[in-house]
Amino acid sequence: MNYLDGKVIVITGAGSGFGRLVAEMTAARGARVVAADIDEVAVRDVVEGIVATGGAATHRRADVTLRSEINELAAFAVDTFGALDVMVNNAGVMPLAFFSDHALAADAWDRCIDINFRGVLNGITAVYDQMITQGRGQIVNISSIYGNFPNAGAAVYGATKAAVNVLSDALRMESQGKIKVTTVRPTGVPGTGLGAGVLNLDALVGILGANTASYMDSIVAHMSGTLPDALADVDRVTYWTISPEQLAEQVVYVIDQPWGVSISDITVRASGEEFIL
């Protein structure tokens, strides 16, 4: 069965990376996609590509930190497609830094809180009434393994993701039987563009521990295309890192379920990864 066919799916941060992939994959399965991003040019290109291949999609510029714009995004989805079945709160940034970096990191941390926490809350409240009125809906919040435990180098980023976990669980409790809530906790995924926000590369030590040097060597090999087969082969248990496409496939999976089945929490890892969280 294809449970994506005909669903109206709103995706934030859909102009690039992981969000773009989810938009393309769900549209290819028959979903009607509303792709949103603060970069209107990028998100328009995504939608034009979807439409060119026969998919149903539209776009809207939206800043997730502004409640009014996300409310307008939700209304736009309903006006365009007559419903709003799934909200994927995907937009996020990852400014890893130590407390000692506070002078450098202060503005980026403020933005992180606004996007990663306030943006998810805005996404929830924007679609809540519509989904309750419809009698069903699904909210997918993208968290991180960083939200599982506190660790050095990721205090602010990890706190925003822990907050997403709490928001998600509280929403699930309040809306059980009315709205399905899914928390997705990805591991590190090179290629999503999220790593570009890291302010201090040494801050990766919190998630890597004693594996830091080995991980950095593997990153260089991954980027140069020289990663050993044992680490690059997805059919081996030593597979080192998932791709953005593999992560997106799992998000599509949690949406592609009958309304009576809710996958409330999913962590997506490579079986041979070097993260310690």
Side-chain angles (χ1 to χ4, degrees), residues 74-92:
F76 173 72
V78 176
D79 290 344
T80 303
F81 292 121
L84 201 170
D85 297 305
V86 182
M87 177 67 165
V88 181
N89 288 310
N90 165 67

Side-chain angles (χ1 to χ4, degrees), residues 16-29:
S16 62
F18 170 67
R20 176 177 190 146
L21 290 169
V22 174
E24 292 170 345
M25 289 180 181
T26 52
R29 296 280 302 279

Side-chain angles (χ1 to χ4, degrees), residues 27-270:
R29 296 280 302 279
R32 295 171 289 171
V33 172
V34 180
D37 201 284
I38 198 168
D39 185 340
E40 186 170 11
V41 173
V43 78
R44 182 188 297 119
D45 288 345
V46 172
V47 167
E48 288 177 353
I50 291 172
V51 172
T53 57
T58 186
H59 80 277
R60 189 175 181 93
R61 184 196 180 280
D63 181 344
V64 299
T65 70
L66 300 177
R67 186 184 305 114
S68 61
E69 292 196 7
I70 302 306
N71 288 343
E72 290 168 3
L73 170 65
F76 173 72
V78 176
D79 290 344
T80 303
F81 292 121
L84 201 170
D85 297 305
V86 182
M87 177 67 165
V88 181
N89 288 310
N90 165 67
V93 293
M94 189 177 71
L96 301 185
F98 297 105
F99 282 110
S100 58
D101 298 314
H102 63 87
L104 167 70
D107 289 343
W109 282 346
D110 285 347
R111 183 168 176 262
C112 178
I113 293 167
D114 284 344
I115 294 174
N116 292 9
F117 176 54
R118 191 189 309 277
V120 171
L121 178 59
N122 288 342
I124 291 170
T125 57
V127 304
Y128 182 86
D129 290 348
Q130 175 65 29
M131 290 182 177
I132 293 296
T133 299
Q134 291 173 176
R136 66 186 189 187
Q138 182 176 11
I139 295 174
V140 180
N141 294 328
I142 307 300
S143 181
S144 169
I145 58 171
Y146 270 108
N148 294 345
F149 306 99
N151 66 95
V156 174
Y157 177 69
T160 64
K161 292 305 184 179
V164 169
N165 297 345
V166 172
L167 281 177
S168 300
D169 284 341
L171 176 62
R172 176 183 54 80
M173 293 172 187
E174 291 187 23
S175 62
Q176 197 160 352
K178 303 167 188 173
I179 299 174
K180 301 199 297 184
V181 183
T182 301
T183 307
V184 180
R185 305 172 196 243
T187 184
V189 188
T192 61
L194 201 59
V198 174
L199 299 175
N200 185 341
L201 286 175
D202 289 340
L204 290 169
V205 69
I207 197 174
L208 291 167
N211 297 327
T212 301
S214 173
Y215 179 83
M216 291 304 180
D217 289 343
S218 295
I219 275 285
V220 172
H222 175 74
M223 295 178 65
S224 64
T226 59
L227 201 65
D229 288 345
L231 303 183
D233 186 349
V234 70
D235 286 323
R236 298 193 190 187
V237 74
T238 50
Y239 187 58
W240 172 74
T241 185
I242 59 174
S243 68
E245 290 79 8
Q246 288 159 345
L247 175 57
E249 286 169 357
Q250 299 310 308
V251 174
V252 173
Y253 167 73
V254 302
I255 301 171
D256 186 23
Q257 301 294 327
W259 281 111
V261 175
S262 177
I263 298 173
S264 62
D265 198 299
I266 182 170
T267 298
V268 187
R269 299 179 182 270

